[in-house]
Structure formats: C-alpha cells, structure tokens
Amino acid sequence: MTLMMIINVISVSAQEDWNLQKSKDGIQVFSAEVPDSKIRAIKVVATYNASPEEIADVVMDINTASEWVSHLKSSYLIKRVSQNELYYYAEVNLPWPASNRDFVAHLTRTENMQSRTITIDGPAVAGLVPEKKGIVRINNSVGKWIITPLDNNQVRVEYALHVDPAGSLPSWLVNMFSGETPMQIFENLRQELKRSDQQTTTAMVLSNNAK
C-alpha cells in the first residue's frame, strides 16, 4: 500500500467506518480496517480546555514528549527546518520478549487562518538515522493531528494513526493493545497541559514580582 493510500484511509474526513473501541473521561478511541493491512488504523477524539496553539506547541515540543507519550523510552530532535517543521528520532519500549521499536518522524504544522484549525502531519521517514542493533526500525507509519477551536477556549483534538510495527509482532496482539496506549497518551496530554499552564502562571507571577 502506498503512503498516499494510507493517508487517505486514516483521513478523518474520508474515513466513515470508524468503530468505537473505548471511551473514558471524554476521550474516545476508534479503530478501522485498512485495505491490504492486518493492522487497524486508530483515531482518538477528545476535548481540552486549551487553545489550538497550546496543543500544537506540546505536540511539536520533542523535549517534553517523554512526559506524556506512553512507552516512549527516548526522543531527540534531529533537525528543525523551521518553527513549523522538524525531524525527530524516537525509541518505543515494548514488553519482553518483543524488541523495542524506533522511528524517525517528519512533523509539519499548518494552520487555516480563517478557521484557526491546526493540522500536524507526522509520517515516518527512512534513512536519516542508522538502524540500531536489537531495535526494530519502523519505516511505514502515518499520523495526523487535527486541532479545531471550539467555544469557551476549548479545542477538539483528533489524532489518526496507522503504523506497521515491523518485525515479528503478531497483528492480533498489536490490535488488542491499540486502544489502551492512545487512551493513556490523551489522558497524559490533559495532565501535561495543566502542568504547562501552571508553569506559565508561575513564570508570570515571578516576572511581575521582579518588576
């Protein structure tokens, strides 16, 4: 399956066959079959008390990713092309006896100036970092964040993902756990937003006291 076909499949606007897999605390996880793939696509939907820019800034901040992205062992910035484009490396912890996975992703952030909707695309790319012994490299993965402003300083966040984990992981095992990890990540994102907001408030207070 080509990259463009996968992108079309996981596109929130194009995919009509999403099935609700899990729902908790306002976070919904959906799955959908992908043609020519044994691995299902995943979509997560949630609403947060934040601005689109706040959500996008957290997603684009590779330095803090390990604080809210579940099972992320390590990550680092490879290259920042601009404020809205970067490449980064990440290693993901998997339970024994499975080998850890790693990947290089290319993040691009675009904003619709009229609707203020922010889209962040994050496909995996090959060739930027040599493969490491004992770690399985993921080269086929596409993900997309769609961050849409609502009333009362709220945003609707949609994240769609389809990944080929490579190696010998059975598809049934990947699909069985595909609902739990996205749920954890979106729960952690809510806490990360609160922490970031508290840090901003503290910095403002300290700045005002110093004047």
Side-chain angles (χ1 to χ4, degrees):
M1 177 180 287
T2 66
L3 177 63
M4 187 55 66
M5 287 176 66
I6 296 175
I7 291 175
N8 288 337
V9 167
I10 70 167
S11 171
V12 174
S13 60
Q15 177 58 260
E16 297 179 355
D17 298 324
W18 295 107
N19 298 307
L20 182 63
Q21 188 172 345
K22 193 168 186 178
S23 180
K24 178 183 176 183
D25 297 332
I27 302 171
Q28 295 180 307
V29 180
F30 301 84
S31 66
E33 301 297 327
V34 176
D36 300 324
S37 175
K38 295 181 180 180
I39 306 299
R40 292 194 294 261
I42 293 296
K43 181 178 73 172
V44 194
V45 180
T47 301
Y48 295 98
N49 293 316
S51 68
E53 292 76 17
E54 287 173 319
I55 299 288
D57 286 347
V58 171
V59 174
M60 297 289 289
D61 187 357
I62 305 307
N63 293 326
T64 62
S66 61
E67 298 178 11
W68 62 278
V69 179
S70 301
H71 307 299
L72 182 63
K73 180 179 180 179
S74 64
S75 63
Y76 63 83
L77 180 69
I78 298 173
K79 178 182 180 182
R80 181 174 293 279
V81 180
S82 68
Q83 182 180 357
N84 296 316
E85 182 180 4
L86 59 85
Y87 294 84
Y88 76 95
Y89 168 88
E91 180 182 346
V92 179
N93 269 325
L94 291 183
W96 185 88
S99 299
N100 284 0
R101 264 53 178 176
D102 69 356
F103 61 88
V104 174
H106 179 201
L107 293 187
T108 53
R109 168 179 171 174
T110 57
E111 181 174 0
N112 184 311
M113 301 307 294
Q114 292 183 334
S115 67
R116 289 184 59 219
T117 295
I118 296 176
T119 300
I120 300 176
D121 285 300
V125 295
L128 291 182
V129 175
E131 294 188 18
K132 301 180 180 181
K133 185 178 180 179
I135 302 176
V136 179
R137 175 61 49 87
I138 293 175
N139 289 316
N140 298 306
S141 172
V142 288
K144 176 182 287 188
W145 297 81
I146 300 178
I147 307 163
T148 306
L150 304 173
D151 295 332
N152 301 320
N153 194 39
Q154 289 190 321
V155 290
R156 174 183 171 87
V157 179
E158 300 181 5
Y159 178 61
L161 171 72
H162 183 263
V163 56
D164 178 356
S168 58
L169 280 179
S171 58
W172 64 265
L173 181 63
V174 176
N175 290 328
M176 185 172 67
F177 287 101
S178 62
E180 189 63 35
T181 298
M183 177 67 70
Q184 291 175 353
I185 289 174
F186 267 59
E187 290 174 341
N188 294 344
L189 176 57
R190 180 170 288 143
Q191 298 304 316
E192 178 66 16
L193 288 167
K194 291 180 181 179
R195 188 184 68 82
S196 179
D197 185 57
Q198 289 171 351
Q199 288 182 338
T200 300
T201 301
T202 300
M204 292 176 61
V205 171
L206 292 175
S207 177
N208 290 333
N209 290 341
K211 291 180 180 179

